[in-house]
Amino acid sequence: MQNRGPSNWKMRFAVQLIVLLYLPVAALAGPADRSISPTNIFAPVSTPAHSILGLSLFVLAVTAAIFVIVFSLLVYCVARFGKRADDDGREPPQVYGSTQVELAWTVIPILIVVVLFMATARVIASIQKGARPANAIQVIAIGHQFWWEYRYPGLKVVTANELHVPVSDPAHPTPTFITLLSGDTDHSFWVPRLAGKTDLIPNHPNTMWIDPQQTGLYLGQCAQYCGTQHAKMLLRVYVQSREEFNRWIEEQSQVAHANPAVSEGQRIFKATACINCHGVTGTVADGSFGPDLTHLMSRETIASGAAPNTPENLRLWIQNPDAIKPGSKMPAMGLSDQELDAVTAYLATLR
């Protein structure tokens, strides 16, 4: 049998350690392709997200320093005091108690925890005390199983699953303040590039704010397990220029205009149980249990972002919601093919 001496195992250990430490460093040092992950926490575009990133990097630096020190001491002890070829097998001298060492490993961790606590408290306080200017946009976000409802109380707009906000120019800040409510159980509003997680708790309103400084689409997720479809309770935040946002608000504040060519589909829609859950402004449909459908086709997705909003997917959704989002609370309507086509054609005109 080959004799593997101390030098061999030390060499293998050193190589494995270098590889272990090199991989994460190389991953962080490489160029970041932000298109890969639209939920990249290291690419903030809003003041709260910038503050959280700064705190995160500070915590990572502190914990990395602790790791390097402890691991270096461990490697030194293994290399310096490991079993040698000339070891006589006797037990080494035992040393009991050291007031200085015990004080050090008690006081230093306490100081580290206090520093991390103070840094975290400072960031939390700075975010929670964000000033609300007179031109701030106000939104009420209501979490449902398993979709999002957005109400703009000052602008008389109600929509679902896709939040639209104006970009905030640092020279003329236009933040969006969001009141978070729950319609059933606990949810959590989290768009990583815009802000941290904030819970929606029944009978306990919470608030948060964002001031996105770049236009674009930012994705998020309900971050609190809320039931079987929690993973598909997606978030889509559209940050638009002020002109585009004002145009969107104007379009969304209009009542639904039915096309005479789809009057049969409208009649069937009004005669089904759909109107018990869904609302369409200007019609007898005034349900609030499900998403408002007044401007359904102005949205890019259906089923909380789970599928593109196309007539084909919409028809499939009406016929059998489980085909797109298993476990949906929306019941199948049991319509004939012709009735499905008529209802789909009617809903496809709601823009």
Side-chain angles (χ1 to χ4, degrees), residues 196-346:
K197 300 175 185 177
T198 307
D199 287 347
L200 296 80
I201 303 172
N203 302 317
H204 183 81
N206 272 341
T207 59
M208 64 179 298
W209 63 278
I210 57 176
D211 61 342
Q213 292 147 18
Q214 295 179 18
T215 58
L217 170 62
Y218 300 96
L219 304 183
Q221 173 82 51
C222 175
Q224 171 69 39
Y225 181 74
C226 54
T228 56
Q229 288 303 303
H230 159 71
K232 291 186 178 180
M233 191 171 171
L234 308 179
L235 278 163
R236 298 173 69 88
V237 180
Y238 293 83
V239 179
Q240 304 169 305
S241 66
R242 188 68 201 207
E243 294 75 17
E244 291 177 342
F245 176 75
N246 289 340
R247 184 164 56 251
W248 180 82
I249 288 293
E250 182 178 358
E251 293 171 352
Q252 295 291 311
S253 58
Q254 303 296 320
V255 298
H257 297 288
N259 189 327
V262 295
S263 58
E264 179 63 14
Q266 184 183 35
R267 183 193 66 78
I268 297 172
F269 175 80
K270 292 179 181 179
T272 66
C274 298
I275 62 175
N276 294 332
C277 295
H278 299 280
V280 178
T281 305
T283 72
V284 296
D286 59 355
S288 59
F289 185 78
D292 187 282
L293 302 180
T294 304
H295 300 282
L296 171 64
M297 298 311 291
S298 68
R299 303 165 197 163
E300 292 186 356
T301 62
I302 58 175
S304 301
N309 188 8
T310 64
E312 295 76 18
N313 285 339
L314 184 59
R315 187 184 189 281
L316 182 62
W317 172 251
I318 299 171
Q319 182 181 19
N320 182 15
D322 286 346
I324 292 180
K325 201 170 183 181
S328 170
K329 287 186 175 182
M330 180 178 175
M333 292 294 103
L335 303 176
S336 67
D337 288 343
Q338 290 183 340
E339 290 173 330
L340 279 171
D341 291 339
V343 172
T344 302
Y346 164 64

Side-chain angles (χ1 to χ4, degrees), residues 29 42 83 109 115 139-141 188 243 249 297:
F42 296 103
K83 186 175 181 180
V115 169
V139 179
I140 298 176
S188 189
E243 294 75 17
I249 288 293
M297 298 311 291

Side-chain angles (χ1 to χ4, degrees), residues 149-229:
E149 178 181 2
Y150 300 114
R151 295 180 174 271
Y152 298 73
L155 303 173
K156 298 181 180 180
V157 169
V158 178
T159 187
N161 298 319
E162 298 181 359
L163 176 63
H164 290 250
V165 300
V167 69
S168 182
D169 183 356
H172 303 89
T174 311
T176 298
F177 281 76
I178 307 174
T179 300
L180 301 171
L181 307 176
S182 173
D184 34 56
T185 186
D186 290 353
H187 303 280
S188 189
F189 193 98
W190 186 39
V191 184
R193 297 186 64 186
L194 299 181
K197 300 175 185 177
T198 307
D199 287 347
L200 296 80
I201 303 172
N203 302 317
H204 183 81
N206 272 341
T207 59
M208 64 179 298
W209 63 278
I210 57 176
D211 61 342
Q213 292 147 18
Q214 295 179 18
T215 58
L217 170 62
Y218 300 96
L219 304 183
Q221 173 82 51
C222 175
Q224 171 69 39
Y225 181 74
C226 54
T228 56
Q229 288 303 303

